[in-house]
Amino acid sequence: QVQLVESGGGLVQAGGSLRLSCAASGSISSVTVMGWYRQAPGRDLVATITRGGQTNYADSVKGRFTISRDNAKNTAYLQMNSLKPEDTGVYYCKGSIVNSGGFYRDYWGQGTQVTVSA
């Protein structure tokens, strides 16, 4: 069993900052790509990071958001600065994971709400 648990969402004023965390746990052999997606209304890519640290960002967040990870802890982070009302939504973490049985698949967290007020 593999689980991803997000934390760090909340309510913030425009221009403020939040830091999201996503911890993967359970029967894990290896975590390859970790990413953050926002659902408002579709589930759109925000940022991804490979195990080696290569990152990819949506154009709308470049220069404001930073994704990072701690491979030893199987945890990814999303530092969100200069937040805008249009960043509002439920943020989901996705991990591409090889479980202890050797099977590779994507796992999703339960989501964390981010609300940015004007």
Side-chain angles (χ1 to χ4, degrees), residues 4-6 21-23 34-37 43 76 91-95 107-112:
L4 272 68
V5 178
E6 301 109 331
S21 298
C22 170
M34 298 189 79
W36 290 95
Y37 295 76
R43 195 171 289 191
Y91 283 69
Y92 292 91
C93 176
K94 185 177 81 170
Y107 294 84
W108 290 89
Q110 81 286 355
T112 186

Side-chain angles (χ1 to χ4, degrees), residues 8-29:
L11 173 65
V12 65
Q13 288 187 329
S17 298
L18 284 173
R19 188 188 192 216
L20 305 183
S21 298
C22 170
S25 63
S27 303
I28 295 171
S29 176

Side-chain angles (χ1 to χ4, degrees), residues 43-59:
R43 195 171 289 191
D44 299 327
L45 168 74
V46 175
T48 61
I49 185 168
T50 67
R51 187 172 182 82
Q54 186 173 5
T55 59
N56 181 48
Y57 295 93
D59 287 343

Side-chain angles (χ1 to χ4, degrees), residues 83-99:
L83 281 160
K84 304 175 181 179
E86 51 263 44
D87 295 320
T88 294
V90 179
Y91 283 69
Y92 292 91
C93 176
K94 185 177 81 170
S96 299
I97 296 172
V98 180
N99 63 27

Side-chain angles (χ1 to χ4, degrees), residues 49-92:
I49 185 168
T50 67
R51 187 172 182 82
Q54 186 173 5
T55 59
N56 181 48
Y57 295 93
D59 287 343
S60 62
V61 307
K62 285 180 180 177
R64 300 188 298 121
F65 291 11
T66 302
I67 188 170
S68 60
R69 63 187 285 174
D70 183 333
N71 290 332
K73 296 180 179 179
N74 288 329
T75 299
Y77 307 95
L78 185 68
Q79 178 66 44
M80 305 186 293
N81 298 329
S82 302
L83 281 160
K84 304 175 181 179
E86 51 263 44
D87 295 320
T88 294
V90 179
Y91 283 69
Y92 292 91

